[in-house]
Amino acid sequence: MSAKKKLVPFTSVFNPVEYDRKPLPDDIFNSEGAILAYRGYTLPRDKLAKVFVYVEDVFQGSDIPDAPAGAPRKNEEHRPPADTPIQRALREKEEEHHKPGFELTDQYDEDTADKIEQYLTEIEFEPIPKIKTALRSNIHNVKEIFQKKIINNMTFLVSQNNEQITSQIAEYLHHILDTNLFASDYLDMVTAVRTKNNYVTFSHALSTAFYTMAIAKKLRMLRDDYLVNDNLGRWLPVKTRTNARLASPVPFSGQLLKYIDRQKSTILIKYDNDVKEVLFERIHDLMHEYAALDPRKNSYPSLSPAYDDGMLRTLTMAAINCDIGKLCIPNRILNKPEALTGEEWEVMKHHPALAVSKLKEVNVNIPKMFVHIIGHHILDRTTGYPAVKGNIPPETKILTVSDMYDAMTSPKHYGKIYSNAQALQYIKELLEKGLIDLPLYLAAVHTFGEYNHEFVKRRHKKLSDAETGDE
């Protein structure tokens, strides 16, 4: 009896660099199994990244054992294991209970881009047209990078344009957040068209990215307003000559107090009520702590990053991609309405690492972004997952808080929907436990208050009959 074969990406069996414009080691096919080129033909490596080969299937079901040790395999050094550790653990667990192996597609496929766009045409308020057009483009782009193909229960991303798409969306968010009306309209539309059937592959990605960019920008604003070490030049006294004698400079402490008084006026303009109250109460302490800041004992690590445009872009790109690894989690686990079992939770905790793995498969290689993705569920050494050896950058917590807030307040298949007040109380508890610092808390409260998802139906309504009559 001839061995069964399965279609797998060329890159999972061979190294495309070694066969760049060199004779192919085997026949190659497209994703549907149609032959594209015969053995011995030559192709550039960018083409090899998109083609498939047939290999002997070493696992067809629970009744067929793995290939025996030592069985010949072509180019074995480039060939991955037959199944990933996660798949192997799940398969073994199912076999214990004499059930068939899981299927990644066992429940549903999320809303298509066209379906979400249909929701967009039915929203109750009148949005700004060009923002609506931009969101339509973002919908299709995000759905492209989340598009998957499942071959023999292995998930592969389809799009090779991830880096370009996520960078463009991050740049767009960077610009619209400079105009509050545009930003509000954008998030209102995302909120209006989101459902539990587009949570993972559309609405959560865009909303988390929006909040991440917004909070990071507000932290940069706090740095500019309160970080004494960065602002000394504004207050250092200038010595001047009077009657050919050097006058005494104004004491630095006096200048600092005057600057603080001016900053109180700034607070009234820039920050909402909840944030104003804390800043007025703590402004003297904040500035004193910043002035005496010891980098080795940083009281406010969220203010230590530069928050330059490149850093904002990378962090926001990480937010868009942070849950892309969930495409590799079985839907019966991912969208289970009840609490997960211990084994299921262990599988779920792999999704950050799976996200990085999948992105590498489509030629994305941005190490700093990968660090943010790996760390987006980590608050300290004892809280979160996965376990890591190195330090997570302080700005990664911006993504963590954004992810938490959106997950708590969004419709999804698992868990209840929390109100804005309940979600903010949870974030306040993170502050009280020392898991986030005060500036990050203030920036998050400011952001979630300014773009409160519960206000979605109150903004940008169509003109009332009376207003229309006046015209």
Side-chain angles (χ1 to χ4, degrees), residues 239-254:
K239 296 181 179 181
T240 59
R241 290 184 177 273
T242 304
N243 298 326
R245 292 192 307 170
L246 197 62
S248 298
V250 177
F252 172 74
S253 59

Side-chain angles (χ1 to χ4, degrees), residues 266-461:
T266 302
I267 291 172
L268 291 173
I269 299 170
K270 286 187 175 180
Y271 301 94
D272 65 19
N273 290 334
D274 291 336
V275 178
K276 289 174 190 174
E277 182 178 349
V278 177
L279 285 176
F280 273 125
E281 178 184 350
R282 295 290 303 277
I283 188 168
H284 289 80
D285 292 339
L286 286 171
M287 287 204 166
H288 174 73
E289 288 167 355
Y290 294 160
L293 197 62
D294 181 345
R296 295 167 298 177
K297 299 178 181 178
N298 192 342
S299 302
Y300 302 120
S302 67
L303 289 180
S304 60
Y307 296 115
D308 57 75
D309 291 352
M311 175 187 166
L312 293 179
R313 186 184 305 108
T314 300
L315 185 61
T316 308
M317 290 170 67
I320 296 170
N321 285 296
C322 67
D323 277 351
I324 209 164
K326 286 184 177 179
L327 297 176
C328 302
I329 306 296
N331 287 334
R332 64 175 179 79
I333 295 177
L334 184 62
N335 299 309
K336 183 180 179 181
E338 303 85 14
L340 298 181
T341 66
E343 293 83 0
E344 290 169 339
W345 182 238
E346 287 302 313
V347 172
M348 181 65 80
K349 289 194 294 188
H350 282 80
H351 81 264
L354 287 169
V356 171
S357 175
K358 293 294 108 178
L359 290 170
K360 287 182 177 180
E361 287 179 5
V362 290
N363 302 315
V364 176
N365 184 25
I366 309 176
K368 196 60 176 285
M369 184 179 82
F370 293 161
V371 172
H372 295 320
I373 292 174
I374 290 294
H376 82 277
H377 283 294
I378 299 174
L379 286 170
D380 67 8
R381 291 294 184 185
T382 62
T383 305
Y385 60 86
V388 294
K389 293 181 180 180
N391 293 323
I392 298 298
E395 65 269 23
T396 303
K397 287 190 179 182
I398 301 172
L399 171 51
T400 304
V401 170
S402 299
D403 179 83
M404 286 180 176
Y405 176 84
D406 191 67
M408 293 179 74
T409 57
S410 301
K412 51 196 174 298
H413 283 272
Y414 64 91
K416 71 178 223 179
I417 301 177
Y418 292 85
S419 69
N420 183 64
Q422 289 172 318
L424 292 181
Q425 177 58 35
Y426 182 80
I427 293 170
K428 184 177 181 180
E429 292 172 3
L430 297 180
L431 172 67
E432 293 169 347
K433 294 175 182 177
L435 296 174
I436 62 175
D437 64 16
L438 180 62
L440 175 52
Y441 169 75
L442 293 176
V445 168
H446 192 179
T447 297
F448 300 142
E450 186 174 14
Y451 304 110
N452 185 346
H453 68 288
E454 293 171 358
F455 295 161
V456 61
K457 293 184 179 180
R458 304 180 195 177
R459 293 194 186 110
H460 311 304
K461 294 289 188 181

Side-chain angles (χ1 to χ4, degrees), residues 63-236:
D63 58 335
I64 299 179
D66 288 340
R73 296 175 180 170
K74 53 184 171 182
N75 216 12
E76 186 169 1
E77 64 273 19
H78 300 299
R79 182 169 182 168
D83 26 330
T84 67
I86 296 174
Q87 290 176 313
R88 190 178 303 113
L90 282 168
R91 174 165 57 84
E92 291 172 355
K93 188 67 179 177
E94 295 290 4
E95 289 172 354
E96 289 176 10
H97 294 85
H98 307 289
K99 297 177 182 178
F102 72 82
E103 292 291 337
L104 289 170
T105 54
D106 57 3
Q107 288 191 10
Y108 77 99
D109 285 324
E110 290 201 339
D111 288 339
T112 64
D114 290 339
K115 181 70 172 179
I116 300 170
E117 187 174 342
Q118 181 182 338
Y119 298 152
L120 192 60
T121 65
E122 300 168 354
I123 55 179
E124 298 180 8
F125 57 87
E126 189 64 34
I128 299 172
K130 69 177 183 179
I131 303 299
K132 185 175 182 179
T133 300
L135 176 60
R136 180 180 293 112
S137 173
N138 288 172
I139 289 170
H140 286 272
N141 284 335
V142 170
K143 292 299 290 186
E144 177 185 335
I145 65 173
F146 275 88
Q147 187 180 356
K148 63 183 183 294
K149 183 180 290 294
I150 299 175
I151 303 174
N152 291 97
N153 221 33
M154 291 284 288
T155 298
F156 301 94
L157 297 182
V158 174
S159 176
Q160 297 288 323
N161 299 318
N162 182 287
E163 185 172 342
Q164 176 186 2
I165 288 171
T166 53
S167 179
Q168 288 176 345
I169 293 175
E171 195 68 29
Y172 178 74
L173 294 178
H174 177 70
H175 289 301
I176 66 166
L177 277 161
D178 289 336
T179 306
N180 187 59
L181 182 61
F182 289 174
S184 296
D185 225 42
Y186 180 88
L187 188 62
D188 282 354
M189 282 186 281
V190 172
T191 305
V193 302
R194 71 188 312 163
T195 71
K196 64 183 181 180
N197 289 327
N198 61 44
Y199 172 74
V200 172
T201 64
F202 159 66
S203 62
H204 185 56
L206 280 187
S207 298
T208 302
F210 179 96
Y211 291 135
T212 296
M213 177 69 82
I215 293 173
K217 282 195 161 192
K218 285 181 172 58
L219 280 167
R220 183 165 70 179
M221 183 170 68
L222 281 167
R223 275 180 56 92
D224 292 343
D225 288 342
Y226 302 111
L227 191 54
V228 169
N229 282 348
D230 282 4
N231 292 313
L232 285 176
R234 302 185 189 184
W235 321 309
L236 283 176

